[in-house]
Amino acid sequence: RRSSPPRPARIRPRPSAAESAAGAMQPMELEARSAGGAARAVANPEHPTSSTLGAAFNVFCTVVGTGILQQAYGAAETGWVGVAIMLVMGAASCYTAIILIRCFGLIEEILAGQDASDPKVRALAPAVTYGDIGEAAFGRAGQVTVQVLMHTSLVLVGVVYNLLGGLNLVNIFGSRAEWLTPEVGIAIMAGAVWFHVFLKSMGEVAAVSAINTVVTVTLAVTIVVESLLHPPAEPPRTTWVSLDPMKLGSGFAAFILAFDVHAVLPTIYGAMRTKEHYEPMVRGTYVAVLAVTLPMLVVGYAVYGEAVQSPVYNTPALARSSLLKVMVGLITAHLLGAYAIVLNPTERALEATLGIDNLRLPLLWRMCLRTMFVLFTYGVAVVFQNSFPPLLDLVSALTAAPTMFLCPCMFYITLSAKAGRPLSHVQLAGNALIMGVSLVGAVFGIVGAIQSMIATW
C-alpha cells in the first residue's frame, strides 16, 4: 500500500551502543546490557533542551561557516554551471535532511506490527540516532557503516576547524610576531576550543550557535562588499563549464560543504522540545543558507574568476582590503563555536558508551575525554597544515557525501518498503538519481583531493 510519507514521530530515546549521539540532548542514566557487554545509555525523554529557533541556529551554524569560504573556489573549478549545481545540491540536501528524520516514524510503524517480546525487536525500539536508522534498514552492518562515516566526518571537520583557525591567527598576527608559526597558531587555536569541554548538550551549544550566526552573516556581507570594492587589475577569466572531471569533482566536494549537516541532524532533532516543527525549521534554514552562500559564490567568481583562492580571503586582490584581518577574525570567532557543535555528537556517543555520566566526578572525566579529542584534532591539523583545500575536498567527498545523500536515500527506500509504504516509481527514480550523481561526484572528488595532496607534499 502507498500512502503519504510519515511525519517524524516523537521518539522516546532508547539505549544505544557505541554512538548514542542523541544522549547529547538530555540527562543520562546508564544501565548495563548483555549484548557485547557494552554500556547503553537510556535518556530521559521528558527534558529536551532546545527550542525550534535554537535548533535552527545549530543547523545554520553547522552548515554556514567554513563552507561559504569554499563556494567561489568551487565555481572556479566547475565554471558558471556551479551555480546550478549548488542550487540542485541544496534542494537535494534539504530533501534528504527531511527523509532522514522521517525514517524514525517508519521504524516505529515497522516495530508496531512485530512481537514486542522478541529481544531483537526490543533492541531496536525506539530509534533515536543515525546509527539506529542504519541498523533498522540493514542490520548491524548498516549501523556500523553509519557510525564510522558519521563520526569520522565530524572529527575530520573538527580537524579542519582547528587547522583553519590556526592559519588564520598566523594571517592576522604573523607579521608582528615571528614566533607565531603555523604549528604555534594551531596549538593556540586548540587551546581556545578546549573550553568546549564544559558544553555538554546541544541545548547549551545553541546559545553559542546564535552568536555564531550573527558572526557568519556579518562575515558574508563583508566579503561580498570587499570583493566588489577590490577587483583584480586584470579582467577575470571565467568559463561556463569545466570539462575536466577532476575539477568537477573538486567543485562537487566544495559545494557539499555548503550543506553538510546530516551527521548531527538526529541529535538536533532529538533535542527539540517541539519535534513537529522540525521539517518547516529545516526548509526555512536551508533557504537562509542559500541566501548567504549563493551571493558569495556569484560575486567571488564574477570578480576574481579562476584566480579565486580557498579560503576566499586568500585571494591576492583581497590583500588590499583594509577589512581583511576583520574578515579573518570573524571566521576564526565562528570556528570557536562551530568546533563544539560538530564534535558534540561524537563526544557524547563515546561518553555514553564509557558510562561517563554514571561515574564519580563526571565533569572531570568528560574534560579528560574531550581533551583527548582536542589533542587529536591538533595533531592531524599540524600534519596537513600545507594541504588545506584538498583536505576540505577529501573530508567532504569521502565522508559527507555518503551521510548526506547515499545513506538517507537508501535507508528511506528500504524502511518505506518494510513499513508497507513502498515509494512510487517517480520517488524511486529521484532517490536513485541523487545517489548515482553523488557517488560519481564523490569518487572524482576523492581522487582529485588525493592527487592535490601528493602534489603539495
Side-chain angles (χ1 to χ4, degrees):
R1 62 185 178 85
R2 290 187 174 89
S3 58
S4 59
R7 303 291 294 179
R10 182 179 294 276
I11 307 296
R12 292 182 300 102
R14 78 166 172 89
S16 175
E19 48 76 62
S20 183
M25 322 158 203
Q26 303 135 348
M28 307 295 298
E29 177 186 53
L30 297 177
E31 64 178 18
R33 297 289 183 181
S34 58
R40 293 176 176 258
V42 182
N44 183 345
E46 303 301 328
H47 298 90
T49 58
S50 178
S51 66
T52 302
L53 184 60
F57 281 140
N58 280 333
V59 172
F60 185 90
C61 189
T62 303
V63 174
V64 179
T66 305
I68 65 174
L69 304 178
Q70 287 284 102
Q71 299 316 298
Y73 174 77
E77 296 288 278
T78 63
W80 279 114
V81 72
V83 176
I85 294 175
M86 182 183 181
L87 290 173
V88 171
M89 190 175 292
S93 178
C94 183
Y95 168 74
T96 56
I98 290 173
I99 64 173
L100 177 65
I101 300 304
R102 284 183 178 177
C103 287
F104 288 133
L106 290 170
I107 294 172
E108 284 201 337
E109 293 182 20
I110 294 170
L111 297 176
Q114 299 186 15
D115 183 6
S117 63
D118 187 339
K120 293 183 179 180
V121 175
R122 291 201 306 269
L124 288 174
V128 295
T129 71
Y130 205 151
D132 295 339
I133 298 173
E135 184 178 14
F138 296 108
R140 178 65 175 169
Q143 182 190 44
V144 172
T145 299
V146 169
Q147 287 176 346
V148 171
L149 288 172
M150 182 181 74
H151 294 307
T152 300
S153 175
L154 294 175
V155 172
L156 288 180
V157 170
V159 171
V160 169
Y161 287 175
N162 196 340
L163 171 58
L164 181 58
L167 297 179
N168 286 348
L169 292 177
V170 176
N171 192 325
I172 297 172
F173 304 108
S175 61
R176 288 175 289 179
E178 295 183 0
W179 55 268
L180 187 56
T181 63
E183 292 85 354
V184 174
I186 295 170
I188 294 174
M189 184 66 182
V193 299
W194 177 83
F195 287 95
H196 86 286
V197 301
F198 300 104
L199 301 176
K200 177 180 177 181
S201 72
M202 277 292 183
E204 295 162 346
V205 172
V208 178
S209 298
I211 298 172
N212 271 10
T213 298
V214 176
V215 169
T216 302
V217 173
T218 304
L219 169 69
V221 172
T222 302
I223 290 179
V224 168
V225 171
E226 288 298 293
S227 296
L228 293 172
L229 293 177
H230 297 87
E234 300 293 330
R237 293 179 54 189
T238 63
T239 184
W240 284 106
V241 58
S242 171
L243 300 180
D244 185 340
M246 294 305 169
K247 285 192 172 184
L248 289 173
S250 177
F252 173 84
F255 295 141
I256 283 180
L257 289 174
F259 308 104
D260 181 18
V261 69
H262 293 57
V264 299
L265 284 178
T267 304
I268 292 173
Y269 168 73
M272 292 178 64
R273 289 193 292 267
T274 310
K275 291 178 171 53
E276 293 78 10
H277 293 171
Y278 172 80
E279 290 190 13
M281 180 274 295
V282 164
R283 293 189 184 98
T285 304
Y286 265 80
V287 171
V289 168
L290 281 172
V292 173
T293 55
L294 192 58
M296 294 279 291
L297 183 154
V298 173
V299 173
Y301 187 53
V303 173
Y304 300 114
E306 296 176 359
V308 72
Q309 299 294 305
S310 169
V312 65
Y313 50 70
N314 280 347
T315 303
L318 272 176
R320 301 195 305 268
S321 169
S322 59
L323 293 178
L324 175 64
K325 295 190 185 301
V326 175
M327 289 189 286
V328 177
L330 285 173
I331 192 60
T332 305
H334 166 86
L335 295 174
L336 291 174
Y339 184 95
I341 297 172
V342 298
L343 280 186
N344 186 274
T346 300
E347 290 170 336
R348 287 299 294 148
L350 185 55
E351 289 164 7
T353 301
L354 298 177
I356 295 296
D357 290 342
N358 213 36
L359 299 175
R360 292 183 59 187
L361 303 175
L363 177 59
L364 179 60
W365 285 103
R366 185 178 304 114
M367 291 170 59
C368 293
L369 181 65
R370 297 191 179 194
T371 298
M372 297 302 295
F373 276 96
V374 174
L375 292 175
F376 176 82
T377 61
Y378 163 74
V380 178
V382 169
V383 172
F384 289 97
Q385 60 182 284
N386 296 320
S387 304
F388 178 73
L391 177 61
L392 276 182
D393 290 347
L394 182 64
V395 171
S396 61
L398 182 63
T399 61
T403 57
M404 193 164 137
F405 294 122
L406 296 176
C407 291
C409 290
M410 287 192 298
F411 296 164
Y412 190 57
I413 292 172
T414 303
L415 293 174
S416 294
K418 288 185 176 183
R421 294 174 172 267
L423 301 183
S424 67
H425 294 306
V426 174
Q427 290 174 311
L428 286 173
N431 280 271
L433 180 62
I434 291 174
M435 291 188 290
V437 172
S438 64
L439 182 60
V440 172
V443 169
F444 282 110
I446 292 170
V447 174
I450 293 175
Q451 289 180 344
S452 298
M453 284 184 172
I454 293 175
T456 301
W457 286 334

